[in-house]
Amino acid sequence: MIYRAIFLILCEAGIVLQYACVMNNGIVAVRTLTCYYTILSNIVCFIYFGYLAIKKPKVEKPVIKGAVTMCILLTCIVYHLLLSGNMESVGSSVVMNVANQLLHTVIPLMVFFDYLLFTPKGTFKSFDPLLWTLVPITYLFFILIRANVSPLRFVGFGTTPSRYPYPFMDFDLLGNGKATAMIFIIAISYIALGYILYVIDRLLSRKR
């Protein structure tokens, strides 16, 4: 409970600081910020762990715990492999840097360690990693629909407004072929990471 209380404080701090950094840019910036996977995945973690803290369930549903863990690990991995250099080139304030590290590094690692420390092992099913992909797939469809129906534009990774929140999924910038290939690579990597987590779960269960 102490660990999760600290987690909730840090997660809320990261989200609030991120919104505080864009408040001066008006309501449009706030609305577009809410559409970033980083913000949504951290909000999901905050709601999930808030539920655990309030309800104190004796048994956590493995498929949901795995989905939340994978959801936020994707935030961490994509940021550090594909986005951190872009954000450094754009430049940001000290507060923004603190928020970025909280949301992209501290919170994902705390969720993963929560799984290692407090989740019973050997509970994941072999098809769970495929079910976990429903989270990023849902987000992808949301962004594709939004790009075609909303006039609001993202400007987080450059000065040119874009219909898409991240450069690796920007069909206007990369073209249909390259953007599709990038999304496909990330999807396959996500499934592979899910099965790595599944194998870790099995190995830890046997060790215990």
Side-chain angles (χ1 to χ4, degrees):
M1 289 301 298
I2 295 174
Y3 182 92
R4 290 176 175 175
I6 295 172
F7 170 86
L8 289 170
I9 292 172
L10 293 177
C11 187
E12 182 180 15
I15 295 171
V16 170
L17 288 175
Q18 197 83 299
Y19 275 101
C21 290
V22 302
M23 285 293 289
N24 292 334
N25 296 326
I27 189 64
V28 172
V30 173
R31 290 173 62 185
T32 55
L33 179 64
T34 307
C35 296
Y36 281 96
Y37 184 86
T38 293
I39 296 297
L40 293 175
S41 60
N42 275 273
I43 290 176
V44 166
C45 289
F46 183 82
I47 293 173
Y48 177 72
F49 282 94
Y51 167 80
L52 295 181
I54 295 172
K55 294 295 184 179
K56 303 181 182 64
K58 294 182 178 180
V59 179
E60 299 176 28
K61 294 185 181 298
V63 65
I64 298 179
K65 184 61 174 285
V68 172
T69 303
M70 285 296 300
C71 169
I72 198 66
L73 285 180
L74 180 63
T75 298
C76 176
I77 293 172
V78 170
Y79 172 79
H80 287 287
L81 292 182
L82 300 177
L83 301 176
S84 58
N86 297 68
M87 297 190 73
E88 290 174 2
S89 63
V90 173
S92 57
S93 65
V94 174
V95 175
M96 179 65 80
N97 287 331
V98 171
N100 283 332
Q101 291 306 315
L102 283 174
L103 299 182
H104 296 103
T105 305
V106 176
I107 296 306
L109 289 178
M110 288 193 73
V111 172
F112 182 65
F113 281 117
D114 184 275
Y115 156 74
L116 290 178
L117 294 171
F118 308 121
T119 301
K121 306 303 182 290
T123 56
F124 292 153
K125 307 299 182 183
S126 59
F127 55 84
D128 283 351
L130 297 178
L131 293 178
W132 299 338
T133 61
L134 292 176
V135 176
I137 287 175
T138 301
Y139 177 76
L140 174 62
F141 278 107
F142 162 69
I143 289 300
L144 292 177
I145 294 172
R146 182 194 178 283
N148 290 282
V149 300
S150 175
L152 300 181
R153 295 293 181 261
F154 298 93
V155 292
F157 293 92
T159 56
T160 303
S162 173
R163 295 189 297 157
Y164 303 92
Y166 299 106
F168 58 81
M169 65 186 305
D170 193 329
F171 285 83
D172 298 331
L173 177 66
L174 302 177
N176 292 339
K178 191 172 182 179
T180 301
M182 289 291 292
I183 292 173
F184 180 77
I185 292 172
I186 293 174
I188 294 301
S189 301
Y190 186 85
I191 294 173
L193 180 63
Y195 276 102
I196 290 174
L197 184 62
Y198 170 78
V199 171
I200 291 174
D201 185 71
R202 289 295 171 183
L203 292 176
L204 291 177
S205 174
R206 292 176 183 177
K207 187 175 182 179
R208 176 171 293 182

